[in-house]
Every structure is written in structure tokens, then in C-alpha cells.
Amino acid sequence: MPDQELLRAHLESGMRAHNQGNIESAKAAYQRALAVAPGHPDALHLLGVALLQLGDTGPALDYLQRAARKLRDDPAVIGNLAHAYFTSGRYAESHAAFRKAGRLDPRNTQFQIGAANSLAMQGKFGAAETLLRKLTARFPLDVLAWLNLGHVVRDQGRADEALACYRRTLELDPHSIDARNSLGNVLHKMQRFEDAEREFLACVRMAPAHLPARCNLASVVIDLGRFGEAADICREIIRIAPGLALSHALLGSALGHQGKMRAALECHRVAAELSPQDSKLVETYASSLTDVGRFSEGSSWFARALTVNPASPSAHQSLGPVLLRHGCFAEGWAEYGYREPRARFREKHPAIALSRTLPPDVSGSHICVLQEQGLGDEIFFLRYAPQLHAAGARITCRASNKLRSLLARVASIGLVLEEKAPPPQADLIMLAGDLPHALSVYPASPLPVIDAGRATVHPRDFPWRAAIFWPRIPPPLALAPLAEQIAGIRLRLAQIGDPPYLGLTWRGGIPPRDQRGVAWTLYKEIDLSLFATALKDFPGTFIALQRKPEAGEIAALSDLVGKQIHDFTDLNEHLEAMLALLALIDEYVGMSNTNMYLRAGAGKTARVLVPCPAEWRWMDEGKTSPWFPGFPIYRQSPRGDWTTALAELKRDLKKSD
């Protein structure tokens, strides 16, 4: 017969250590108790709990199962067994165990909450919500019930209801970090960035050691465009917890948005190596490698990301532009089907049957092409309309209203509908961005899976690299300016000065403070003082074409170049007049925007400032892009430096006098 006094002493010693938070000492005491009395149910139970808290889930589950066979009606034992099942990912078994514990102790709401969470982890959100709503009705002051109800409705995409649940949780417990952090996350996802920042700041004030809230704060500050501040937040997190992969990735993002691509790459490398099974961090490192020109290595890491999570939408969304930027067009267009605008369109218009492919013979077919992205994208992708028309198809285009009159004069487009019109009856309905894929005659190759142990990747691993710039790319869509607009613009130009006329744009896309879910690569800007260094010696007349310039910008640039810059920015709202202007002026320099597409449509060229990493239309390298023949490109370096590019621009403008 075991020594009962010795057994009791070991158990009491273990429980004292457990209550003091010394789990290792508690574990050792429980093991000594089992040595005295093998199979003792309380010792089995307590050792199982200690192991579970130490993260040793497999042995913990074994001990708790053995304890539960002896203490079948003890709700604490059954509840801890349920928790072990949950931690092991055995959600059906955890649900059954939590339900049994709840029947044994109906007043313990944690068992009911555990059962609901087990259902949610199986994707049974409706059943989980029903259980939690019954619980909040029965126990309206239970904080955890409201918090978990918030999680379940959040995971069903009902953000407003989730906010209400989290706010109710905070009414009951204003110090609930989980509720406030979750509230901030939902606000962030709703793109209410300032509101989210306020909640994350409150979390950090209440619990400075709560690193998830600090990471969330850094993320939302990045989305607000305050990159330097975000970098400082990340560095402080890394000082506290250098092994936290997410903080390194966020620092990489903050640095990348400042044009510090090589510094960003190092951060993303650390993040991917710290958490190699996190497909998001791996794919971000893959993108970062390609941003600095290491395409083969980046492709290898993309393959790894898709091995970890083959269905990752973000990996495919990142990979498509990378492949296109490096000239792998067939492969890039295949991946471009994952783009966010297409996903949003399908979610918003589920009844519209979209096609990404064409039959072998389109002669006599009626094809309706729908706009989905920005004005420049519409013009860009409609370069494929003449090819369809030449093959005998009849084209209807639903276009943005600003472009309707321009596109109505394109011979290959039979009818142009206004942007809100319902699609007509047609043989095929396609999004404009799917036209290149549909018309590609070169089959896409799969992304090669590279051995993770290999340090380098050989070009032979990427046979489709030989397909660069093949087949022939259609030229930009020709757009004819109206004669009356040409006459009016000629008169306006004569009133401001003599030729040569130089149009200027220093920003493209949506500024960071106004971004709401838009890809950051769509925003480009150059500092006015840097821009002015390349412009000073041009002898002609300067014209500002910047869309929505900030107050005082045109005057500031005029001072910097030492010459008046005439304001023609109003033409951005009147694209017929802008097209006429772009057809008439001698030179156009700036960031890529809709005006670049109009300039190409008018049969003219422009000088394009391309930040690093380049948006895919301007390719990863080279002095020109196959999409814009004759457009000289001036590239920012991976270190964020414009010096060489602007010196080249200054020299080329002088040659063009």
C-alpha cells in the first residue's frame, strides 16, 4: 500500500508550486507522486495540466485521458481533457468533452464557450453562434461569452455585429486587452484606420508587454502612411522580443515603403527564417527578393510559400505581378487571375458569369468587356480589343464615364456603355484585365519547386524565362483627340509662352493618408526638390499636369526650378482636353498615371520616373518597357536613391532642346 503521507506531501508541494506559477517544479512534484502511487487519478490529472501549460501537448493528453477514465464525473478533469483535445487540433473530440463537462457543471460558462469554439474551429460558425447567443442571454454579464460571440460573428464577416459584441465586452470589463485588441483589428479591417489606432494605443497603455497590440499598432501606422514612426515601433518590439517574426516583417514593410529595399530585404529574411511555416512571411520575403532583382531566389521562395499553403490568395496575388515584371507573361497572366480587383468584382456581382478564356474561333461572337480597375488600366487592357475585332468578334465595352467619349471613337469597339449599365446579352463577358490571358497563345509553365536545402538557383530551373517579350505585345490603344479640343488647347498654350512645352507630374496613385485597401505599389512620388534638379536647365515652358496637387506645390516647384510652372491640372477632370494637350506638348515627364496611357494613345512618348520596386508595366529593368515603346525609363535604385536617374533625365532633356 503506498505511503499516503508521502503521496499527499508530493501533491501539496506540486500544487503550491503550481499556484506560484512554477510549473516545472509542480511537474516534478507530480511525477514524484506518481512514482509513489502509479495511476493515482489526482496525480495524473495535475501532471497532465502542468504538461499542457508547458506546451507538451502529447504527453499531457495521455495523462488527462487516463485521469478521465478514473474520474468520469469530475467536470474539471473532463474540461481540462477537452482543452488538451482543442490544443491538439482534435476539435470534434474537444467539442464532445466540453459538452460533457458543461452537463456536469452547467454554471461554468467556460465549458460552453469551449464547446462553441470547438464548433467554430470546425467551420460550424452558425452552430457556434447559436450556442454563444444562448449563453449571453442566460449569463448577460459573462465577459468571455460576449468576447467569443464577437469572434464568431467577426469570422462570418459581420463586422458591425462584431464591434457591438466587443464594445459590450468592454462595458463589462474596460480592461479586457483581448476585447480592445480585437475591436482594433475589426476597425483596421474595415479601413477605419484612425479608430483602430486609437484602440491599439489604448491596449499598449494598459498592457505595455502585450506584443500583439504593439504589432497591430505598427501595422495600422503603416497603413496611415507614417512609415518612420512605424519603423520606430517595430524596433522597440524587436528590442523586447527579438525572436518575434512578425515585428521583423512589419519593420521590413515600413522600410520598404520608404524606398529602403535592401534594408527591408534583410528584415523579411529574418522573419521568414524565424517562422518558415508562415506562408505569408515566406511570400513577403519572396517578393522582397524580387524587388531587389534576385528573381530566381524569389521564385524559389514563392514555391516554398505555395508548398506551405497552396491555396494562399496573397501568394498568387504577389506572384502574378512579379512574373509579369520579369517578362514571364504567360505565367504572369495565369496568376493575374487571382488579383484583388477581380476577387472583389466576383464577390460584388456573383450573378455575372465571367470568362477568362476564348473559344478557338471568335468570329461572329459578341464579347462584352467590363472595367474593373482604374482609368489607366482600362486604356491599357483595351489594347487587346483590336485583336479581337480583327478575329471577327463584336466588342461591347462598359467603361468609366470619364473615358466613354474617347473610347466611343475607337473603331474596334462597337458600343461603349456607361459605367453602371447592366451587362448586355453576350456570348462572353470578360473583365478587361483578363484579356491578355485569354489571348495568350504561349502555355504557362508551373512554378518550379526548388529544394529548400539548395543555397542557389540556376537559370535552368526557370525555362519559361526564354519566353520574355514573346509573343508580340499589342501596341497601346490608339486614341484620337477631337479637332475642337486641339484648337482650344493650342490657343491656351499660346497664351502661356513659347514651345517647347514640358508637362510635369510628380505623383501617381492615391497618397498614403488616403489609402484604403489599395496596393501600395500603385502610389509613386518624387520629392519636388529632387525633381527640380533635373528640370532647371530646360529652356521651354513648364506645365503642371498633376492630379489634385497639394496646396502650394506648384508655386514651390516654380521656385525650385526658377521659372513659372503653369497650372493645367484642371484637365484631369476633362480627359478629352487632356488627350488633346498630351497630343500637342513636346515633352512629358513624371510618375506613371492615367496621363501616361493617354500620351501613349495619342501616339507620343513620355519620360517616366519609375520607383523601386517597379510596377509590372515598367518591368524590372531596362531603359524602356515593351508595353510603352519609345518611353525612356528613369529608375530609382533599390537603395531609394534617384541621383543617377535624375542626372540621366537632365542630360536627356538637354539633348531634346
Side-chain angles (χ1 to χ4, degrees):
M1 188 170 181
D3 186 332
Q4 296 296 324
E5 291 299 323
L6 184 58
L7 171 65
R8 185 180 302 110
H10 288 321
L11 289 175
E12 289 176 354
S13 172
M15 286 187 285
R16 280 196 301 273
H18 216 148
N19 290 333
Q20 293 168 5
N22 191 342
I23 311 301
E24 285 287 358
S25 294
K27 167 187 162 185
Y30 300 144
Q31 288 172 329
R32 290 194 296 271
L34 283 172
V36 172
H40 189 278
D42 289 335
L44 289 169
H45 175 220
L46 292 168
L47 179 56
V49 171
L51 289 168
L52 191 61
Q53 290 175 309
L54 290 169
D56 204 354
T57 308
L61 187 56
D62 177 61
Y63 284 110
L64 288 167
Q65 286 172 325
R66 290 166 61 188
R69 285 194 288 269
K70 295 175 179 289
L71 300 171
R72 297 176 182 275
D73 296 324
D74 187 322
V77 174
I78 305 303
N80 284 322
L81 174 61
H83 184 61
Y85 280 132
F86 190 95
T87 304
S88 302
R90 296 164 62 172
Y91 301 119
E93 290 163 288
S94 71
H95 175 249
F98 275 127
R99 286 192 66 192
K100 180 178 179 180
R103 288 193 296 270
L104 293 169
D105 184 1
R107 300 296 300 179
N108 190 328
T109 59
Q110 291 193 32
F111 298 146
Q112 302 295 332
I113 292 169
N117 288 339
S118 298
L119 289 168
M121 294 303 292
Q122 298 175 73
K124 300 176 181 179
F125 296 113
E129 181 182 348
T130 298
L131 181 54
L132 287 166
R133 288 201 181 280
K134 288 180 180 177
L135 201 58
T136 54
R138 186 179 176 195
F139 301 100
L141 301 182
D142 192 287
V143 172
L144 287 178
W146 284 105
L147 176 64
N148 284 277
L149 178 58
H151 295 340
V152 167
V153 295
R154 174 202 63 195
D155 292 343
Q156 295 177 81
R158 287 150 45 200
D160 287 333
E161 291 180 57
L163 292 181
C165 292
Y166 293 138
R167 286 179 174 134
R168 176 57 177 155
T169 305
L170 289 168
E171 287 175 8
L172 297 170
D173 180 8
H175 300 289
S176 172
I177 297 297
D178 286 341
R180 196 166 297 281
N181 190 50
S182 297
L183 175 63
N185 279 326
V186 173
L187 290 166
H188 194 174
K189 190 171 183 179
M190 296 172 74
Q191 299 174 11
R192 293 170 55 180
F193 298 147
E194 293 82 3
D195 293 337
E197 181 187 13
R198 183 177 61 251
E199 300 301 335
F200 295 140
L201 282 169
C203 284
V204 172
R205 283 194 296 270
M206 286 192 295
H210 192 263
L211 298 183
R214 285 179 178 262
C215 288
N216 289 332
L217 176 62
S219 179
V220 79
V221 170
I222 288 171
D223 281 339
L224 285 164
R226 297 179 351 234
F227 306 130
E229 181 181 341
D232 289 341
I233 295 170
C234 293
R235 291 188 182 101
E236 177 61 16
I237 300 170
I238 292 168
R239 186 190 66 78
I240 297 169
L244 183 60
L246 180 58
S247 59
H248 292 276
L250 288 168
L251 177 57
S253 177
L255 293 171
H257 290 319
Q258 297 176 73
K260 301 173 182 178
M261 306 310 299
R262 296 196 184 280
L265 174 65
E266 176 61 17
C267 296
H268 292 306
R269 181 193 64 78
V270 173
E273 291 181 354
L274 285 171
S275 190
Q277 294 305 308
D278 187 322
S279 63
K280 182 63 179 175
L281 298 184
V282 172
E283 71 197 45
T284 302
Y285 178 45
S287 291
S288 189
L289 282 164
T290 65
D291 288 346
V292 298
R294 293 161 64 177
F295 174 68
S296 294
E297 290 177 80
S299 298
S300 171
W301 280 87
F302 269 119
R304 296 185 201 184
L306 290 169
T307 299
V308 174
N309 183 7
S312 169
S314 58
H316 288 288
Q317 288 163 3
S318 299
L319 178 58
V322 165
L323 291 169
L324 292 172
R325 197 170 80 224
H326 288 83
C328 307
F329 293 141
E331 294 74 22
W333 294 130
E335 295 292 333
Y336 199 62
Y338 290 92
R339 64 193 180 278
E340 286 189 24
R342 190 175 199 277
R344 289 196 299 268
F345 186 97
R346 292 185 66 187
E347 182 178 350
K348 187 176 180 180
H349 305 286
I352 298 178
L354 297 175
S355 176
R356 293 196 75 222
T357 60
L358 294 168
D361 183 7
V362 297
S363 180
S365 298
H366 180 199
I367 300 175
C368 179
V369 179
L370 307 179
Q371 91 280 14
E372 51 165 319
Q373 301 181 54
L375 298 175
D377 297 288
E378 288 184 59
I379 300 170
F380 179 88
F381 287 116
L382 284 173
R383 68 175 63 209
Y384 288 89
Q387 188 174 338
L388 286 173
H389 178 70
R394 176 165 60 95
I395 309 298
T396 294
C397 175
R398 187 174 75 177
S400 298
N401 289 338
K402 280 188 173 183
L403 293 174
R404 280 188 68 200
S405 61
L406 282 72
L407 297 178
R409 300 195 297 278
V410 175
S412 57
I413 300 175
L415 178 65
V416 182
L417 304 175
E418 66 97 16
E419 61 188 36
K420 299 294 184 182
Q425 291 294 322
D427 297 299
L428 292 171
I429 298 177
M430 307 187 73
L431 297 181
D434 286 330
L435 290 175
H437 175 70
L439 287 162
S440 177
V441 297
Y442 184 73
S445 304
L447 187 70
V449 179
I450 306 300
D451 180 359
R454 285 170 53 185
T456 60
V457 182
H458 193 276
R460 65 172 171 268
D461 295 317
F462 304 91
W464 29 260
R465 287 285 279 161
I468 292 179
F469 307 159
W470 187 91
R472 185 177 64 84
I473 293 174
L477 184 70
L479 299 170
L482 294 170
E484 58 267 31
Q485 292 290 347
I486 290 285
I489 293 297
R490 276 202 174 110
L491 180 61
R492 186 169 173 180
L493 288 173
Q495 292 170 345
I496 63 168
D498 296 326
Y501 298 109
L502 173 60
L504 303 173
T505 299
W506 49 91
R507 185 185 306 113
I510 301 172
R513 64 181 177 278
D514 299 326
Q515 290 257 9
R516 288 296 185 266
V518 180
W520 279 106
T521 52
L522 299 181
Y523 178 74
K524 322 97 176 170
E525 183 175 23
I526 188 166
D527 181 83
L528 292 181
S529 59
L530 290 177
F531 194 25
T533 62
L535 304 175
K536 280 185 177 180
D537 297 333
F538 187 79
T541 302
F542 291 106
I543 302 170
L545 299 182
Q546 178 61 52
R547 184 173 183 268
K548 295 184 177 180
E550 295 181 4
E553 275 191 317
I554 296 175
L557 187 56
S558 297
D559 290 341
L560 289 167
V561 298
K563 184 185 295 187
Q564 182 180 359
I565 296 176
H566 301 274
D567 187 352
F568 279 51
T569 60
D570 59 297
L571 299 188
N572 287 291
E573 302 305 316
H574 307 282
L575 296 189
E576 288 283 13
M578 180 64 82
L579 177 64
L581 175 73
L582 291 168
L584 288 173
I585 60 177
D586 303 278
E587 290 276 5
Y588 182 34
V589 177
M591 295 288 173
S592 176
N593 61 8
T594 299
N595 292 340
M596 291 289 178
Y597 301 86
L598 292 173
R599 177 80 168 171
K604 302 287 186 175
T605 62
R607 302 183 186 276
V608 192
L609 299 170
V610 175
C612 181
E615 201 248 343
W616 61 265
R617 274 163 263 238
W618 303 104
M619 311 304 290
D620 183 65
E621 58 186 3
K623 297 292 187 180
T624 62
S625 164
W627 298 105
F628 293 89
F631 278 51
I633 294 175
Y634 305 87
R635 298 182 185 276
Q636 183 187 33
S637 79
R639 291 184 173 83
D641 181 48
W642 285 102
T643 304
T644 301
L646 292 175
E648 291 176 356
L649 174 60
K650 183 180 182 71
R651 183 186 65 240
D652 292 348
L653 284 174
K654 189 172 183 179
K655 288 180 183 177
S656 70
D657 291 354

